[in-house]
């Protein structure tokens, strides 16, 4: 079992690039399944969740090659429409293949998806929306069987919550359905816009991505294309949090600063100097951070739930008290136990956590229990006195590409053993 060993209190400095977005890559890979011919997807991160999607595509009969951040996918020889349990359970976003497979073959079957245990994570919104597009869905002891005996057709779909995954599933499926689909209360995350850009470049007709209403005029066919995935805004947030936790100064290149608006405003409130220059962010952190008053997670453009854990770790040593309100997932404080072991002062009650900044953190043996929690424990360890050993790296590797090398290049003392 591998672990990270982090010797803390090394001030991060220097510059680094941010890799491509996991949450963009996964739906784009599912959408590539609908195209005729080859798609070339650039700036793909090398992550275990991407490997999981590649395994699914290959199992279905697609040709996939992945090297040097570019993924080639061709679904012309796809010959299956069932995804086995072992592949589905690897990650939650495997549900995104449902709409794509259904649209491609007219039927699809799979079990309930896996992923981090950060909440109930039902898929009712996905299933309801797909049935509004004409899917007939049955649940056979945990295996969903979807068919579209009368074809897929456009529909007015109103989401009761702006679910990212459900919005993506509908966009993919509706892009080749007959007629027009209108999604209201759609998710507005940058990854939704990236998926729309990919699909439109394949020949789809999608407008309004990034707004609350998305309109999809179905087309007969999609053609493979070239696309470059957007930078990962959560990886960027994590690296900035690591810098701030050590009172460092770094420059992040290859970011889209506007995607980080709500996060950057928290950094400023903490006393960090944030300078945006084109696609770079230069951050200069003070010796000790000031606790922000409140961090409330919200759908985009609000503060992202995925950045809650790293930011909590970053301010564990700040001056003051912060109230966290987690509005997206029910069980997203899995990192708190690890932070407490390192000396943090945090109390959790349901979706609320109250953090009282402490003078110092100390290294400890800690275990990650979810992806962003793993990142949080690294951030805390960077700012802690002494050595931290982090296990549970299977979660980290789902979303961060070789973060130990990136942190070492910035002066951190981080090794994988
Ligand atoms: C995506 C991101 C994840 C991020 C989350 C919220 C990917 C691969 N993952 O996850 O990193 O934390 O958005 O920004 O892009 N819900 C239902 N029924 C459904 C679907 C969702 O009740 O059918 C609920 C969920 O339980 C959760 C909330 O809606 O409480 C948000 O979920 P959703 O936006 O769908 O997140 P994901 O797409 O799973």
């Amino acid at each position: 079992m591998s672990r990270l060993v982090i010797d803390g209190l090394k001030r991060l400095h220097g510059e680094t690039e941010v890799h491509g977005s996991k949450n963009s890559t996964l739906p784009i890979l599912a959408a590539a399944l609908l195209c005729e011919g080859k798609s070339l997807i650039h700036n793909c991160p090398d992550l275990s969740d991407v490997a999981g999607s590649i395994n699914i595509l290959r199992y279905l009969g697609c040709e996939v090659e992945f090297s040097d951040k570019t993924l080639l996918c061709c679904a012309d020889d796809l010959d299956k429409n069932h995804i086995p349990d072992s592949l589905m359970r690897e990650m939650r976003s495997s549900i995104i293949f449902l709409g794509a497979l259904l649209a491609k073959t007219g039927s699809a079957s799979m079990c309930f998806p896996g992923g981090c245990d950060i909440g109930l994570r039902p898929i009712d919104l996905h299933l309801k929306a797909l049935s509004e597009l004409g899917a007939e869905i049955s649940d056979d002891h945990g295996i969903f069987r979807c068919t579209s005996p009368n074809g897929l057709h456009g529909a007015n779909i109103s989401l009761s919550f702006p679910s990212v995954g459900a919005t993506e599933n509908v966009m993919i499926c509706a892009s080749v359905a007959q007629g027009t689909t209108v999604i209201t209360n759609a998710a507005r995350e940058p990854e939704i816009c990236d998926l729309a850009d990919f699909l439109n470049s394949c020949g789809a007709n999608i407008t309004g991505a990034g707004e609350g209403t998305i309109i999809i005029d179905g087309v007969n066919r999609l053609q493979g294309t070239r696309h470059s995935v957007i930078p990962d805004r959560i990886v960027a947030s994590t690296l900035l949090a690591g810098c701030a936790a050590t009172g460092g100064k770094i420059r992040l290149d290859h970011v889209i600063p506007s995607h980080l608006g709500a996060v950057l405003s928290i950094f400023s409130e903490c006393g960090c100097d944030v300078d945006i220059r084109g696609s770079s962010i230069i951050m200069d952190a003070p010796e000790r951070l000031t606790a922000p008053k409140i961090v409330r997670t919200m759908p985009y453009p609000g503060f992202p739930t995925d950045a809650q854990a790293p930011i909590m770790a970053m301010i564990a040593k700040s001056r003051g008290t912060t109230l966290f309100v987690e509005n997206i997932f029910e069980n997203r404080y899995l990192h708190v136990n690890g932070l407490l072991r390192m000396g943090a002062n945090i109390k959790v009650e349901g979706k609320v956590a109250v953090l009282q900044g402490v003078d110092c953190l100390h290294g400890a043996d800690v275990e990650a229990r979810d992806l962003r929690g793993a990142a949080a424990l690294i951030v805390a360890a960077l700012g802690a006195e002494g050595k931290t050993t982090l296990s549970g790296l299977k979660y980290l590797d789902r979303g961060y590409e070789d973060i130990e090398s990136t942190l070492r290049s910035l002066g951190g003392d981080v090794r994988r053993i």
Side-chain angles (χ1 to χ4, degrees):
M1 184 182 66
S2 52
R3 280 174 292 181
L4 283 191
V5 179
I6 302 161
D7 206 357
L9 291 187
K10 310 278 185 292
R11 194 172 167 265
L12 294 195
H13 59 90
E15 55 220 44
T16 190
E17 280 190 1
V18 174
H19 64 65
S21 161
K22 166 178 91 70
N23 289 354
S24 266
T25 302
L26 303 180
I28 286 173
L29 291 185
L33 196 154
L34 274 181
C35 298
E36 290 170 22
K38 293 180 176 167
S39 290
L40 274 180
I41 300 151
H42 303 293
N43 201 33
C44 261
D46 191 358
L47 305 168
S48 62
D49 268 10
V50 172
S53 292
I54 293 174
N55 288 341
I56 291 176
L57 288 167
R58 286 195 176 133
Y59 174 84
L60 294 171
C62 303
E63 178 195 348
V64 185
E65 286 167 28
F66 184 29
S67 71
D68 204 15
K69 297 188 188 300
T70 293
L71 194 142
L72 175 150
C73 178
C74 180
D76 288 349
D77 295 329
L78 179 137
D79 57 2
K80 292 189 196 65
N81 58 10
H82 171 73
I83 304 181
D85 294 14
S86 54
L87 295 178
M88 278 302 286
R89 293 196 195 283
E90 274 176 30
M91 56 180 188
R92 158 139 184 119
S93 51
S94 47
I95 189 66
I96 203 71
F97 283 95
L98 186 60
L101 258 186
L102 180 67
K104 176 90 173 176
T105 69
S107 66
S109 62
M110 57 188 63
C111 70
F112 197 83
C116 288
D117 194 15
I118 55 177
L120 294 172
R121 309 194 85 173
I123 54 168
D124 55 318
L125 299 176
H126 298 248
L127 299 182
K128 181 168 178 283
L130 292 177
S131 62
E132 284 166 342
L133 292 174
E136 292 189 359
I137 303 168
S138 61
D139 178 356
D140 182 6
H141 298 97
I143 305 272
F144 298 101
R145 296 187 199 287
C146 281
T147 53
S148 53
N150 303 313
L152 295 164
H153 51 76
N156 289 327
I157 294 173
S158 180
L159 295 174
S160 57
F161 183 88
S163 156
V164 175
T167 303
E168 292 167 343
N169 235 331
V170 173
M171 285 166 68
I172 294 171
C173 193
S175 64
V176 290
Q178 283 269 325
T180 301
T181 296
V182 179
I183 314 175
T184 47
N185 199 24
R188 298 163 61 189
E189 271 68 3
E191 295 76 20
I192 298 284
C193 300
D194 206 21
L195 174 63
D197 287 346
F198 172 77
L199 284 165
N200 283 339
S201 148
C202 296
N205 191 352
I206 302 174
T207 51
E211 293 161 29
T213 301
I214 299 179
I215 300 167
I216 305 144
D217 280 317
V219 297
N220 289 333
R221 53 190 289 273
L222 296 177
Q223 182 66 42
T225 189
R226 265 176 192 271
H227 179 82
S228 191
V229 171
I230 57 171
D232 195 308
R233 62 196 168 101
I234 307 301
V235 170
S237 306
T238 304
L239 294 172
L240 292 173
C243 167
T246 65
K249 178 174 181 180
I250 64 169
R251 192 182 84 206
L252 283 190
D253 295 326
H254 195 211
V255 285
I256 302 179
S258 61
H259 291 173
L260 287 143
V263 181
L264 293 182
S265 85
I266 293 287
F267 284 111
S268 300
E269 197 183 335
C270 291
C272 299
D273 188 20
V274 179
D275 185 11
I276 293 171
R277 292 196 198 155
S279 60
S280 298
I281 298 174
I282 299 164
M283 200 178 76
D284 195 353
E287 196 112 310
R288 189 165 185 194
L289 299 171
T290 304
K293 295 218 163 8
I294 183 158
V295 177
R296 199 186 278 115
T297 68
M298 304 284 272
Y300 190 85
F303 186 91
T305 174
D306 287 350
Q308 177 257 107
I311 293 295
M312 182 183 282
M314 167 186 101
I315 58 174
K317 284 192 318 175
S318 61
R319 196 176 283 114
T321 305
T322 302
L323 180 72
F324 284 83
V325 186
E326 171 55 60
N327 290 308
I328 309 295
F329 291 108
E330 302 86 357
N331 194 21
R332 213 155 198 196
Y333 291 124
L334 292 171
H335 47 287
V336 168
N337 265 340
L339 296 179
L340 294 178
R341 283 177 79 105
M342 298 171 82
N345 180 351
I346 304 163
K347 290 192 176 55
V348 176
E349 181 69 45
K351 63 179 195 170
V352 171
V354 180
L355 179 147
Q356 176 73 53
V358 293
D359 289 340
C360 68
L361 294 178
H362 50 80
D365 282 355
V366 289
E367 183 179 355
R369 294 182 52 207
D370 72 320
L371 164 58
R372 304 304 169 187
L377 295 173
I378 294 174
V379 169
L382 289 169
E385 225 172 273
K387 204 165 273 183
T388 295
T389 307
L390 173 68
S391 56
L393 301 190
K394 68 174 183 185
Y395 296 110
L396 180 72
D397 296 338
R398 289 188 42 217
Y400 294 84
E401 184 183 307
D402 197 7
I403 194 171
E404 57 271 28
S405 297
T406 306
L407 291 170
R408 267 201 309 276
S409 76
L410 294 171
D413 187 343
V414 185
R415 282 168 297 126
R416 189 177 288 239
I417 56 166

